[in-house]
């Protein structure tokens, strides 16, 4: 009888425990070595012993136990199963609970199409911050230090609509609008004037280079809402689209995001940048560095933008933005700092600190090219 036929014949005897040796963790059995040295025709057991001996000689590292060690553990408990349990086949259709109605109209239910809704991933994220804050100051005419009554109101809206597919592409869009109006009794010419005025749109699209680094194209455009005036003067110092600045740059972004999310933001380095300055009112052209009777100025250079949000505590947040642009003949730098103290969900106070340097503008007598602005406000706030 052939060896395979012998194995098949013995395999029909499910009570034969010799096959267990082929599938259990490998042991060194004394009978295997003895049987290998015996004479006579090969039986099914001899074939199993030959397979085990082949492993002993070629892969001894696979042999984990010895027969002597097994004997020290004692015999197997009685009452173990000696039969192979046949698999039980269950008709799953019979287990399905069919829907029922008051009229038991199952056929009508089956005719109705099954509606499926597959939610697509949304890679867009919208957020916004809103502030409406007030400042009021009153002094009597006989106040020993002098002074005048004044009132001011500041409204701020910041909207962000960003795209991130969590793979390679990011597109960030940010719109900032600020308008602060002040009324002072000491100013007899201007009943109201703007103390803070900004419209700024920033858009950057990036392709991931490595981890937090992105190849980025960035656009920054800004102007203001209303005319800029000074106390008791009719002269207009700035106006809507006077000036209007457009900066387009190519470079790389580095995304900042700590593990605890307390510090977030990004750094934009652009060795190639184009800047357009447009002044609609010709009488203001020279004060913004343009030639007389010219509306536009084009130049090229390099640009740096740093924008970070640091929130060390729930009640305190610091937002900082630094913008620098140079043509290597002139230099412009702005550093905006907003310190926010959030008393509760709707009440907050802001401290705004804004140093600025610009050697392209006309220099005011007795002053350097450095400028500085600061204000403090208290009022309502809302974030989403």
């Amino acid at each position: 009888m052939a060896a395979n036929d012998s194995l098949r014949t013995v395999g029909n005897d499910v009570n034969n425990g010799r096959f267990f040796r082929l599938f259990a963790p490998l042991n060194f059995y004394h009978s295997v070595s003895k049987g290998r040295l015996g004479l006579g025709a090969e039986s099914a057991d001899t074939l199993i012993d030959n397979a085990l001996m082949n492993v002993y000689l070629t892969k001894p590292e696979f042999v984990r136990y010895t027969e002597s060690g097994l004997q020290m553990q004692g015999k197997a408990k009685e009452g173990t199963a000696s039969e192979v349990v046949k698999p039980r086949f269950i008709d799953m259709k019979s287990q399905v609970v069919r829907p029922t109605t008051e009229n038991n109209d199952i056929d009508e239910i089956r005719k109705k199409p099954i509606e499926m809704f597959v939610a697509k991933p949304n890679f867009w994220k919208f957020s916004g911050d809103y502030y409406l804050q007030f400042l009021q100051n009153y002094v009597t005419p006989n106040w020993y230090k002098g002074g005048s009554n004044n009132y001011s109101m500041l409204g701020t809206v910041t909207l962000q609509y960003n795209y991130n597919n969590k793979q390679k592409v990011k597109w960030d869009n940010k719109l900032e609008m600020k308008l602060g109006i002040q009324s002072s009794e000491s100013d007899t010419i201007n009943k109201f004037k703007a103390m803070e005025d900004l419209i700024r749109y920033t858009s950057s699209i990036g392709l991931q280079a490595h981890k937090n680094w992105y190849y980025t194209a960035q656009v920054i455009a800004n102007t203001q809402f209303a005319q800029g005036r000074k106390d008791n003067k009719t002269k207009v110092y700035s106006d809507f689209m006077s000036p209007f600045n457009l900066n387009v740059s190519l470079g790389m972004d580095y995304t900042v995001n700590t593990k605890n999310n307390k510090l977030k933001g990004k750094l934009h380095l652009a060795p190639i940048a184009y800047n357009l300055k447009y002044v609609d009112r010709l009488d203001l052209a020279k004060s913004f560095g343009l030639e007389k009777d010219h509306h536009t100025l084009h130049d090229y250079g390099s640009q740096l933008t740093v924008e970070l949000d640091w929130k060390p505590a729930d009640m305190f947040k610091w937002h900082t933005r630094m913008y620098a642009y140079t043509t290597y003949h002139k230099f412009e730098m702005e550093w905006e700092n907003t310190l926010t103290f959030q008393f509760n969900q709707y009440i907050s106070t802001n401290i705004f600190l804004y140093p600025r340097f610009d050697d392209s503008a006309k220099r005011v007598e007795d002053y350097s090219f450095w400028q500085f602005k600061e204000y403090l406000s208290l009022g309502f706030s809302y974030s989403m």
Side-chain angles (χ1 to χ4, degrees):
M1 183 181 292
N4 290 340
D5 293 336
S6 300
L7 284 172
R8 189 178 298 110
T9 302
V10 178
N12 292 328
D13 183 7
V14 296
N15 294 325
N16 193 312
R18 301 282 288 179
F19 283 103
F20 175 77
R21 297 183 178 187
L22 295 177
F23 304 101
L26 283 175
N27 298 272
F28 181 78
Y29 296 101
H30 301 158
S31 59
V32 172
S33 58
K34 292 179 181 179
R36 187 70 182 273
L37 299 175
L39 299 176
E42 288 187 344
S43 65
D45 290 348
T46 304
L47 292 175
I48 296 172
D49 291 347
N50 288 342
L52 291 172
M53 181 58 72
N54 184 54
V55 176
Y56 296 163
L57 296 176
T58 59
K59 298 290 183 179
E61 66 273 14
F62 290 167
V63 181
R64 300 178 59 185
Y65 308 105
T66 64
E67 187 175 357
S68 300
L70 293 177
Q71 292 174 354
M72 293 177 61
Q73 298 297 326
K75 296 182 179 180
K77 294 182 179 180
E78 297 182 358
T80 56
S82 59
E83 296 183 359
V84 177
V85 179
K86 294 183 178 180
R88 180 185 176 190
F89 296 96
I90 301 174
D91 184 6
M92 296 303 297
K93 293 182 178 180
S94 64
Q95 304 298 316
V96 176
V97 178
R98 297 181 178 275
T100 58
T101 62
E102 293 182 358
N103 298 325
N104 295 321
D105 195 357
I106 304 301
D107 293 334
E108 290 296 326
I109 294 176
R110 290 175 176 173
K111 291 179 181 179
K112 293 181 179 179
I114 299 175
E115 296 182 359
M116 297 183 65
F117 173 75
V118 179
K120 295 182 180 180
N122 185 11
F123 298 125
W124 289 95
K125 182 180 179 181
F126 175 80
S127 62
D129 293 312
Y130 311 88
Y131 295 91
L132 182 61
Q133 300 180 322
F134 305 90
L135 178 64
Q136 181 267 337
N137 181 47
Y138 171 78
V139 294
T140 61
N142 61 344
W143 182 248
Y144 75 108
K145 287 187 177 181
S148 62
N149 302 335
N150 59 76
Y151 308 89
S152 59
M153 178 182 70
L154 173 66
T156 303
V157 176
T158 303
L159 303 175
Q160 297 189 68
Y161 196 43
N162 302 329
Y163 175 88
N164 186 354
N165 67 357
K166 307 297 182 181
Q167 295 179 357
K168 291 289 185 180
V169 180
K170 289 177 65 176
W171 184 17
D172 297 336
N173 297 274
K174 185 176 184 179
L175 177 62
E176 301 167 88
M177 295 177 288
K178 295 182 181 180
L179 181 60
I181 300 175
Q182 183 183 56
S183 175
S184 176
E185 289 184 354
S186 62
D187 188 354
T188 58
I189 296 178
N190 304 301
K191 187 175 182 180
F192 297 99
K193 58 182 178 291
M195 65 169 188
E196 178 69 13
D197 199 346
L198 174 68
I199 305 173
R200 181 167 60 210
Y201 171 70
T202 305
S203 178
S204 63
I205 183 167
L207 180 65
Q208 188 176 31
H210 178 68
K211 292 184 178 179
N212 294 337
W213 286 97
Y214 289 80
Y215 301 109
T216 306
Q218 179 176 272
V219 176
I220 302 176
N222 65 79
T223 184
Q224 62 189 63
F225 287 100
Q227 296 180 351
R229 298 173 180 265
K230 294 185 178 181
D231 286 351
N232 294 311
K233 291 185 178 181
T234 58
K235 180 181 177 180
V236 176
Y237 290 84
S238 61
D239 203 346
F240 177 71
M241 298 300 290
S242 295
F244 168 77
N245 292 289
L246 175 67
N247 185 278
V248 181
S249 60
L250 295 174
M252 294 197 73
D253 277 10
Y254 179 79
T255 303
V256 179
N257 193 355
T258 58
K259 291 183 179 179
N260 54 15
N261 290 325
K262 289 187 176 182
L263 180 63
K264 296 187 293 185
K266 67 179 179 179
L267 166 69
H268 177 68
L269 296 168
I272 303 174
Y274 161 75
N275 193 77
L276 165 68
K277 183 173 287 187
Y278 173 81
V279 179
D280 187 59
R281 301 176 63 124
L282 289 177
D283 57 321
L284 300 178
K286 292 193 66 176
S287 62
F288 289 107
L290 279 67
E291 295 184 7
K292 186 178 180 180
D293 297 330
H294 281 69
H295 285 287
T296 59
L297 173 66
H298 307 269
D299 50 42
Y300 302 88
S302 302
Q303 189 239 90
L304 166 69
T305 307
V306 180
E307 192 161 2
L308 297 171
D309 286 288
W310 181 45
K311 193 174 182 180
D314 293 338
M315 294 181 58
F316 175 73
K317 181 175 68 174
W318 174 39
H319 173 78
T320 182
R321 176 187 180 271
M322 178 181 288
Y323 169 84
Y325 172 75
T326 179
T327 62
Y328 306 104
H329 296 289
K330 61 182 180 180
F331 179 69
E332 179 181 346
M333 188 273 291
E334 301 175 344
W335 187 19
E336 303 174 27
N337 297 273
T338 304
L339 306 176
T340 303
F341 297 89
Q342 194 78 33
F343 299 112
N344 56 42
Q345 186 177 359
Y346 301 107
I347 304 297
S348 68
T349 184
N350 286 348
I351 301 175
F352 184 69
L353 308 173
Y354 185 12
R356 185 177 187 273
F357 181 90
D358 185 4
D359 60 4
S360 65
K362 184 178 179 181
R363 181 176 176 179
V364 179
E365 188 177 355
D366 298 330
Y367 287 91
S368 68
F369 291 113
W370 280 101
Q371 307 166 21
F372 183 75
K373 185 176 186 178
E374 177 269 338
Y375 65 77
L376 183 147
S377 58
L378 172 68
F380 301 102
S381 64
Y382 177 72
S383 299
M384 60 178 299

